[in-house]
Amino acid sequence: MGKIKGVSAWIFIIASIVFGIIIFTASASLIAKQIENANRQTIADNIADLYNTLKMVCINEGVGSQSYYEIDLPENVRAVYVSKSEYAEPPDKVSVLISNKESSVGNYFCYQLWDENLPKCRKLLCNLNFTYIGSPSLKNDLPTLISRIVGGNPVYKYRLRIRKLKDWFLIVEAKQIIKE
């Protein structure tokens, strides 16, 4: 009898440990999903704010006006760009275009994350000549190196110069700045 009680006690202990591991894993997974969703929402909010700034300059500002805007983009943002079509994906080597400070022209303001198949685009009344921003090519630059040494994911900070060149046409030049 004593032997059966001992075996059933061990079975109970092992079952409790397995159940605890399952509960811990499920909880950790839910917390990770919540953090990921919060990060995605922050990205969407920051990009929506940039869109609203561009829209305001397009509609309300006069020709020759100029303003500045700063935005932080985490490493999972593949690209922020403009296109001539609502469904136009960024070019295949967009990270090289970002590093080379190339630009695109269009009236659809778009962004795409690395793990998404389709970009998210919104139409603007103005045409834009917009410098690509997002995750530059995978070369080790100073901000990326510092971030990785500290143990975090890189965040790329850009200062945008928005100029209204003529009615319904904006030039947006981006310069990557090192976070302090």
Side-chain angles (χ1 to χ4, degrees):
M1 254 337 198
K3 203 174 197 183
I4 294 177
K5 283 185 180 182
V7 170
S8 65
W10 277 108
I11 291 174
F12 178 74
I13 291 170
I14 292 172
S16 296
I17 291 171
V18 169
F19 185 69
I21 291 171
I22 291 171
I23 295 294
F24 177 77
T25 304
S27 299
S29 176
L30 286 173
I31 290 170
K33 277 278 193 212
Q34 288 290 80
I35 291 170
E36 181 182 337
N37 288 339
N39 287 339
R40 284 180 181 273
Q41 188 59 47
T42 300
I43 292 167
D45 291 345
N46 288 342
I47 292 174
D49 190 40
L50 174 56
Y51 169 83
N52 290 330
T53 300
L54 294 171
K55 182 178 172 182
M56 186 215 41
V57 171
C58 175
I59 295 171
N60 297 332
E61 299 292 324
V63 173
S65 67
Q66 157 173 294
S67 60
Y68 291 90
Y69 186 89
E70 288 188 5
I71 187 168
D72 294 344
L73 299 174
E75 184 177 41
N76 64 329
V77 176
R78 180 175 181 209
V80 179
Y81 60 100
V82 296
S83 72
K84 294 179 181 173
S85 166
E86 183 177 7
Y87 303 106
E89 292 187 39
D92 287 337
K93 295 187 178 185
V94 71
S95 59
V96 174
L97 297 174
I98 292 167
S99 294
N100 294 338
K101 298 177 180 82
E102 301 284 334
S103 61
S104 59
V105 177
N107 64 330
Y108 284 92
F109 178 74
C110 306
Y111 77 97
Q112 185 178 34
L113 302 181
W114 280 105
D115 61 351
E116 292 180 339
N117 293 328
L118 296 174
K120 293 176 178 64
C121 298
R122 295 174 71 182
K123 188 172 185 174
L124 282 165
L125 294 174
C126 285
N127 278 312
L128 289 88
N129 182 328
F130 188 94
T131 304
Y132 289 99
I133 59 175
S135 297
S137 61
L138 297 175
K139 62 182 182 181
N140 282 327
D141 57 357
L142 185 59
T144 304
L145 187 60
I146 291 170
S147 179
R148 293 206 192 280
I149 289 172
V150 176
N153 291 327
V155 174
Y156 303 101
K157 184 172 189 131
Y158 292 93
R159 175 174 288 137
L160 306 176
R161 179 179 166 199
I162 305 165
R163 294 184 295 149
K164 189 164 188 176
L165 193 60
K166 54 185 173 180
D167 282 333
W168 311 112
F169 189 79
L170 303 177
I171 293 182
V172 182
E173 300 166 309
K175 180 180 180 185
Q176 186 177 357
I177 53 180
I178 297 174
K179 287 184 86 168
E180 297 174 2

